[in-house]
Amino acid sequence: MNSTLKYALIFAGGMVAGIAAATAVSRGAINLKPLAAGIVSRGMDVKDAIANTFEKLKEDCQDLVAEARADQAQRRESSAE
């Protein structure tokens, strides 16, 4: 993951947390700690899900490239004969 995307996701998470905190304060919530912990927890779950998706995509692409190279080598061997 490049640093620009990483910082953009962190910024977006901060914006969501800030909006949620402002909403909770305006409604008179006394204890914001559990709410903030829940928001951060959900954000971490989303980050992990996205990272897992990209990792699976990367593995699929690597498998595809390996299969393509094997097919190419097989074609070269059959055309050389």
Side-chain angles (χ1 to χ4, degrees):
M1 178 183 305
N2 66 22
S3 62
T4 305
L5 179 60
K6 178 181 173 182
Y7 292 127
L9 290 174
I10 291 171
F11 178 77
M15 292 286 291
V16 169
I19 290 169
T23 302
V25 168
S26 69
R27 290 184 181 174
I30 296 171
N31 192 1
L32 296 177
K33 210 173 207 179
L35 176 65
I39 291 170
V40 171
S41 174
R42 299 286 181 173
M44 292 169 63
D45 290 342
V46 169
K47 178 198 69 93
D48 290 341
I50 291 171
N52 287 337
T53 300
F54 279 118
E55 186 63 32
K56 288 178 185 176
L57 180 62
K58 179 181 172 185
E59 290 174 3
D60 289 344
C61 289
Q62 288 173 342
D63 290 344
L64 181 63
V65 168
E67 288 178 22
R69 286 185 178 156
D71 288 346
Q72 181 187 26
Q74 186 178 14
R75 272 196 324 272
R76 285 185 180 173
E77 287 176 6
S78 65
S79 65
E81 293 175 353

